[in-house]
Amino acid sequence: MLKALAITLALAAAAPALAATPPLALTDIPRPAGPAATLFNGRDLNDWDAWLGYADPALTYTRPAVAPIGVNAQSADIFKVVIEDGRPALYVSGKTWGSLVREGDFHDYHLRLQYKWGKGRWAPREAQAPNNGLLYHSHGAPGAVWGTWSQAVEFEIMTGSIGMVVPVGEAIRATTTAVDDPALIDPKLRFSPAGRVQTVQGGTKNWNVEAYADAEKPAGQWNTLDLYVLGDRSIHVVNGVPVMEVRDLKAGDAPLTHGAIQLQSEGAETFFRDIVLEPITSLPKVK
């Protein structure tokens, strides 16, 4: 989410190494423990709550004296239902940064959705890698983080970094395993099941761990994201490829095990569809 341009340049420099990375596999995929719930009905956004950050997104990380837009009718231009490729899709403009929060308190689930980039890119990131995010275990006041998002754990949706983990909010932290990757910006950490234990926390130098590899499809194609969450653990999967495994999710000193689902608007036009959640009682394994 932060420092997107630098991440993109670092990933481009690391491309030969990434190409040689042996792929991970997902095994022991759990069966649904109950009926599936469709989070996007394809007709309207009546089950979603919109919040907009600053009229000038360049102010987002500056702690400005001005107030964010908040709840405003302008959100209907940023978040809406459209027909894309002949089917209903949830459209996120990206022009004004903000969040669209699905009402509900979700835990122990497998969430699947599809996303596709549109052509729109907006200041201050019009020349950077397209950026958005799937935020889970969202909680607290809207706009509590940089006036724009609720506290959460982020399944990053940014070209070159799909599946990266980012704690959204200074109280949010998580544990994973990582190896050093000098091609990345600080903290220069990339997820690996064979890596050393690392804690990531919002507002610290360890603010992210990069995804294991880049599994995104070419621009203009639909991508499938699978998020498996059980208690304070989660697994991020991109087009069937596991790229991140996280445990010990916390908000302050308390385990973080549930919350709302939040989609970001962060500078890039994005389409979402087929947002479906199924309950689970176990996690798959990453090998």
Side-chain angles (χ1 to χ4, degrees):
M1 183 173 66
L2 306 175
K3 306 177 184 176
L5 179 58
I7 295 173
T8 303
L9 293 174
L11 283 166
L18 290 178
T21 301
L24 298 175
L26 199 67
T27 66
D28 299 339
I29 297 174
R31 293 180 178 273
T38 300
L39 302 190
F40 169 52
N41 63 24
R43 300 185 304 273
D44 54 50
L45 298 179
N46 291 344
D47 296 326
W48 299 75
D49 297 321
W51 176 274
L52 298 180
Y54 300 100
D56 178 3
L59 298 176
T60 303
Y61 303 117
T62 66
R63 303 188 188 278
V66 299
I69 298 169
V71 178
N72 187 288
Q74 181 185 342
S75 65
D77 295 324
I78 306 301
F79 306 107
K80 57 187 174 182
V81 178
V82 300
I83 299 298
E84 180 69 14
D85 294 337
R87 296 180 50 196
L90 194 163
Y91 171 81
V92 177
S93 161
K95 188 171 185 179
T96 302
W97 293 9
S99 59
L100 189 65
V101 180
R102 178 53 163 82
E103 298 171 359
D105 187 23
F106 305 106
H107 63 90
D108 299 344
Y109 58 80
H110 166 208
L111 174 67
R112 171 172 285 185
L113 62 76
Q114 290 192 319
Y115 80 90
K116 185 183 79 166
W117 298 116
K119 295 181 179 179
R121 304 287 184 272
W122 311 105
R125 290 186 174 166
E126 64 269 39
Q128 300 180 14
N131 193 331
N132 206 306
L134 165 62
L135 278 57
Y136 57 99
H137 290 352
S138 300
H139 62 281
V145 181
W146 301 111
T148 307
W149 303 290
S150 299
Q151 295 185 103
V153 182
E154 181 171 7
F155 184 138
E156 180 69 81
I157 305 175
M158 181 174 71
T159 293
S161 297
I162 310 296
M164 179 170 73
V165 63
V166 181
V168 180
E170 294 181 359
I172 307 302
R173 66 180 189 270
T175 300
T176 186
T177 52
V179 294
D180 295 319
D181 187 340
L184 300 173
I185 65 166
D186 289 338
K188 303 183 186 300
L189 296 173
R190 184 178 297 280
F191 169 69
S192 171
R196 66 187 184 279
V197 174
Q198 290 286 338
T199 298
V200 290
Q201 182 167 0
T204 71
K205 65 179 182 179
N206 274 18
W207 65 272
N208 81 85
V209 170
E210 182 57 87
Y212 180 79
D214 184 0
E216 188 179 30
K217 294 180 180 179
Q221 297 186 26
W222 289 96
N223 294 268
T224 299
L225 303 185
D226 290 281
L227 168 64
Y228 293 90
V229 176
L230 189 73
D232 62 355
R233 296 176 291 160
S234 64
I235 295 173
H236 301 181
V237 182
V238 181
N239 293 317
V241 179
V243 298
M244 179 63 60
E245 189 170 14
V246 181
R247 59 181 171 84
D248 298 329
L249 298 172
K250 291 184 181 296
D253 294 326
L256 185 55
T257 61
H258 60 95
I261 304 296
Q262 187 177 178
L263 298 176
Q264 289 184 315
S265 174
E266 198 178 353
E269 187 178 61
T270 318
F271 300 92
F272 294 93
R273 70 183 186 188
D274 298 342
I275 309 174
V276 178
L277 183 147
E278 296 175 333
I280 58 174
T281 57
S282 65
L283 285 177
K285 294 180 181 178
V286 177
K287 294 184 177 181

